[in-house]
């Protein structure tokens, strides 16, 4: 997603920011008419294409959005009420992202690109998340 596992940025997290694992962040994701999901990070310094949600993250957003074209997703490294869980299964070389396995979910794999480092500051071992709108 998880994002996943694409989010209006309610909390801006800059790379390297010090954040407690129990802190929650809310991101907004939107789906364009051609079907691609994007995370809404207006201050992201790279090209829009970097913000595309692909390789399972798009499927997770379809699930969370329940047919809508926009969804806000709350995320944390610590469990919280109503949250789904993704566990990191593989972290590639820098520039190659990380793979996560959603726990107890039909989606088998979610790849998160290095924009995750911009948004969360790292690739957490676990990501807990839920749709909040």
């Amino acid at each position: 997603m998880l994002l996943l596992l694409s989010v209006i940025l309610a909390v801006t997290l800059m790379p390297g920011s010090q954040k407690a694992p129990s802190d929650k962040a809310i991101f907004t994701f939107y789906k364009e008419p051609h079907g691609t999901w994007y995370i809404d990070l207006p201050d992201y310094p790279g090209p829009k294409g970097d913000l595309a949600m692909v390789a399972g993250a798009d499927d997770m957003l379809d699930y969370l959005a329940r047919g809508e074209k926009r969804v806000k997703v709350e995320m944390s490294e610590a469990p919280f009420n109503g949250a789904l869980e993704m566990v990191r299964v593989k972290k590639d070389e820098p520039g190659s992202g990380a793979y996560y396995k959603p726990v107890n979910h039909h989606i088998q794999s979610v790849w998160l690109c290095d924009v995750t480092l911009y948004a969360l500051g790292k690739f957490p071992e676990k990501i807990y998340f839920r749709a909040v709108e």
Side-chain angles (χ1 to χ4, degrees):
M1 96 164 116
L2 277 340
L3 323 329
L4 351 344
L5 187 334
S6 304
V7 184
I8 284 176
L9 190 61
V11 176
T12 301
L13 303 171
M14 300 309 290
S17 66
Q18 297 304 313
K19 191 170 144 10
S22 61
D23 289 348
K24 294 179 190 172
I26 297 176
F27 296 98
T28 298
F29 297 86
Y30 63 94
K31 189 174 190 177
E32 291 199 333
H34 56 77
T36 301
W37 281 99
Y38 293 89
I39 187 169
D40 186 0
L41 292 176
D43 295 330
Y44 179 72
K48 178 181 176 181
D50 288 355
L51 304 175
M53 304 303 288
V54 298
D58 51 345
D59 296 328
M60 186 58 74
L61 288 166
D62 280 334
Y63 171 79
L64 293 172
R66 297 183 179 164
E68 298 295 321
K69 303 295 182 203
R70 180 176 287 283
V71 62
K72 288 185 181 184
V73 179
E74 183 175 35
M75 296 181 190
S76 176
E77 289 182 60
F80 61 92
N81 251 358
L84 298 169
E85 176 184 4
M86 289 193 303
V87 177
R88 191 179 75 205
V89 294
K90 182 180 178 190
K91 185 171 148 184
D92 288 336
E93 297 298 316
S96 300
Y99 288 89
Y100 286 81
K101 168 74 174 108
V103 176
N104 298 322
H105 200 278
H106 73 279
I107 295 172
Q108 296 299 304
S109 179
V110 172
W111 177 72
L112 298 179
C113 71
D114 283 353
V115 171
T116 303
L117 299 173
Y118 178 85
L120 298 178
K122 63 181 175 178
F123 288 111
E125 291 290 326
K126 294 182 180 183
I127 299 174
Y128 295 89
F129 62 98
R130 71 179 176 121
V132 292
E133 284 186 18

